[in-house]
């Protein structure tokens, strides 16, 4: 199973970006899909998650500004980021719980995509 993340970039404060992460490979089912972020020297922190039923969870710092969604037919998770702030600058990683065919549940990380918000 591979995760391909895209959509990062440089944006001014107050702007928007949309991240995408597509899972491919021997996928039987997907449960939780989520986004985390990390800045150099700090731990990787939860940004948002969404489960197979569509229930979402957000870090307090992004509530009301970020929206996580998924397209189960495409095995893809999205993160719409609005009203971006300089403190949102980080490498964003997608994370997915996958039922791998003939193997069982496994957790996978994407390669990370850089988001930089200038003031």
């Amino acid at each position: 199973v591979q995760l391909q993340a895209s959509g990062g970039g440089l944006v001014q404060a107050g702007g928007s970006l949309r991240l995408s992460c597509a899972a491919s490979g021997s996928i039987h089912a997907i449960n939780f899909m989520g986004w985390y972020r990390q800045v150099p020297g700090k731990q990787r922190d939860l940004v948002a998650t969404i489960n197979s039923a569509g229930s979402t969870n957000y870090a307090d710092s992004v509530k009301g500004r970020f929206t996580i969604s998924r397209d189960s037919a495409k095995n893809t998770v999205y993160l719409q980021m609005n009203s971006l702030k300089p403190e949102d600058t980080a490498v964003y990683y997608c994370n997915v719980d996958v039922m791998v065919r003939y193997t069982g549940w496994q957790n996978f990380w994407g390669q990370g995509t850089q988001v930089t918000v200038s003031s």
Side-chain angles (χ1 to χ4, degrees):
V1 175
Q2 293 183 331
L3 302 183
Q4 183 64 49
S6 61
L10 173 64
V11 65
Q12 289 188 331
S16 298
L17 283 174
R18 189 191 193 209
L19 305 183
S20 300
C21 178
S24 62
S26 298
I27 298 169
H28 179 69
I30 294 178
N31 189 5
F32 280 93
M33 307 182 84
W35 291 94
Y36 292 72
R37 64 187 181 187
Q38 187 172 26
V39 298
K42 294 191 176 182
Q43 67 181 18
R44 193 171 295 184
D45 292 326
L46 171 71
V47 176
T49 62
I50 184 169
N51 67 12
S52 57
S55 295
T56 58
N57 179 51
Y58 295 93
D60 288 342
S61 59
V62 306
K63 283 181 181 177
R65 300 188 298 122
F66 291 11
T67 302
I68 189 169
S69 62
R70 65 191 283 171
D71 184 335
S72 295
K74 296 181 179 180
N75 293 331
T76 300
V77 61
Y78 305 97
L79 186 68
Q80 178 66 44
M81 305 185 292
N82 298 329
S83 303
L84 282 161
K85 304 175 181 180
E87 50 263 43
D88 294 318
T89 296
V91 177
Y92 284 70
Y93 297 90
C94 57
N95 181 265
V96 178
D97 284 336
V98 177
M99 170 66 85
V100 181
R101 288 194 181 97
Y102 314 119
T103 301
W105 288 103
Q106 296 184 40
N107 185 263
F108 295 90
W109 289 95
Q111 82 278 15
T113 184
Q114 177 71 45
V115 171
T116 303
V117 184
S118 63
S119 57

